[in-house]
Amino acid sequence: MNPALQDLGDYITGALPEAALDATQDHDELILLCPAEHVARLLTFLRDDASCLFKQLTAICGADYPERAERFDVVYNLLSFRHNQRIRVKVRAGEDTVVPSVAAVFSAAGWYEREVWDLYGVMFDGNPDLRRILTDYGFDGHPLRKDFPLTGFVEVRYDEEQKRVVYEPVKLTQQFRSFDFMSPWEGANYILPGDEKAEDAEMPGVAKKSGG
């Protein structure tokens, strides 16, 4: 527990109790939990207050916890050059929660919010240009959600006949795979496909070495 961060957390929660609901520490950083409707007010305070002066917004990122009712965390990472400190502000949001944009507080937030919208689907009210930024404009879904399929929904290829890039539904040659999690160095305890030529029937899966 860092005493300086503890004092700072007590100061912020005391000054804005409705905006900073909780202050904890992790990896020598202060973490504040903030309701969505107060995030712009809290970030303005952290930027301008003389005891804070977190003048740089280094990132806005997201995290998905599907088991929670408010499944998303929107995380704001701030840096104070004056006090050489970092702070994180977490806002919890459900799938239908609209989080106020902080682009008017930190101009860099505009693109960061676009990334969170693109990858997680969290809406930001007041963002001047909330469009996809990392995926294609016609992309279906939000790829960093835990329930998004790893294969995606479409695949892209160049069609020689049409002389253009085409999008097609994903086609898997093997829809389901069975993993035995055995060590490849020890070998499988069954005959692998293609190893039917193995001569040692008492040790399936291990081919008998020929002399020479």
Side-chain angles (χ1 to χ4, degrees), residues 119-139:
L119 300 179
Y120 292 94
V122 178
M123 294 289 296
F124 292 90
D125 181 36
N127 184 289
D129 187 23
L130 195 61
R131 296 177 293 137
R132 290 191 181 273
I133 189 172
L134 296 177
T135 62
D136 196 4
Y137 293 120
F139 192 86

Side-chain angles (χ1 to χ4, degrees), residues 199 207-212:
E199 299 178 4
K208 186 176 180 181
K209 295 181 178 179
S210 58

Side-chain angles (χ1 to χ4, degrees), residues 7-21 23 32 38 41-42 45-46 49-52:
D7 292 341
L8 180 60
D10 293 341
Y11 173 74
I12 297 171
T13 55
L16 295 175
E18 71 284 356
L21 301 180
L32 302 176
H38 294 296
R41 181 185 176 194
L42 178 58
F45 177 85
L46 295 175
D49 186 85
S51 298
C52 302

Side-chain angles (χ1 to χ4, degrees), residues 83-144:
H83 302 295
N84 192 26
Q85 291 177 325
R86 295 180 182 270
I87 194 170
R88 275 180 280 171
V89 176
K90 289 187 177 182
V91 172
R92 291 187 174 179
E95 293 191 40
D96 299 325
T97 303
V98 179
V99 179
S101 173
V102 296
V105 183
F106 292 100
S107 58
W111 278 23
Y112 292 146
E113 290 171 350
R114 286 178 61 183
E115 290 183 11
V116 177
W117 149 247
D118 192 0
L119 300 179
Y120 292 94
V122 178
M123 294 289 296
F124 292 90
D125 181 36
N127 184 289
D129 187 23
L130 195 61
R131 296 177 293 137
R132 290 191 181 273
I133 189 172
L134 296 177
T135 62
D136 196 4
Y137 293 120
F139 192 86
D140 183 14
H142 305 281
L144 286 191

